[in-house]
Amino acid sequence: TAFSTDGDAWKFHRKITVAILNRDAVHYTAKILNQKLRRLQSFLQTKEGEIVDFQDVSYKLILDVLFQWAFGLEVDQFNK
């Protein structure tokens, strides 16, 4: 990793990290995450008083965020 290497390996890891964590990418990710968390909140409000499978909800959230972020696809797992 970038924290435990030096020389050319450090330069390589730093280059990739900087590309991933640039300002636009962070804002884009935050926008998607905010949108998906609001959808999760709406979903959970419909389940008030019920037991919710946290693992299933987490999986759906991660899937929604990753597909939107990586591929630009809206899979909307909370409406299925």
Side-chain angles (χ1 to χ4, degrees):
T1 68
F3 300 110
S4 62
T5 61
D6 56 7
D8 289 338
W10 178 84
K11 289 178 186 176
F12 172 76
H13 288 289
R14 184 182 184 284
K15 183 178 178 181
I16 290 174
T17 302
V18 168
I20 292 172
L21 295 178
N22 71 52
R23 181 182 173 114
D24 291 338
V26 170
H27 280 276
Y28 178 67
T29 304
K31 180 181 173 184
I32 290 172
L33 188 55
N34 187 24
Q35 175 190 31
K36 302 305 178 183
L37 288 172
R38 287 177 190 259
R39 191 158 296 145
L40 171 60
Q41 182 181 23
S42 296
F43 171 79
L44 291 175
Q45 286 174 341
T46 68
K47 302 295 182 185
E48 189 172 337
E50 297 179 32
I51 295 174
V52 177
D53 182 351
F54 183 74
Q55 184 175 3
D56 182 57
V57 169
S58 299
Y59 173 78
K60 288 177 178 181
L61 177 64
I62 291 168
L63 193 66
D64 275 0
V65 170
L66 286 177
F67 267 75
Q68 181 75 37
W69 184 80
F71 308 114
L73 297 174
E74 181 70 48
V75 292
D76 198 13
Q77 290 293 301
F78 293 110
N79 284 328
K80 293 185 177 186

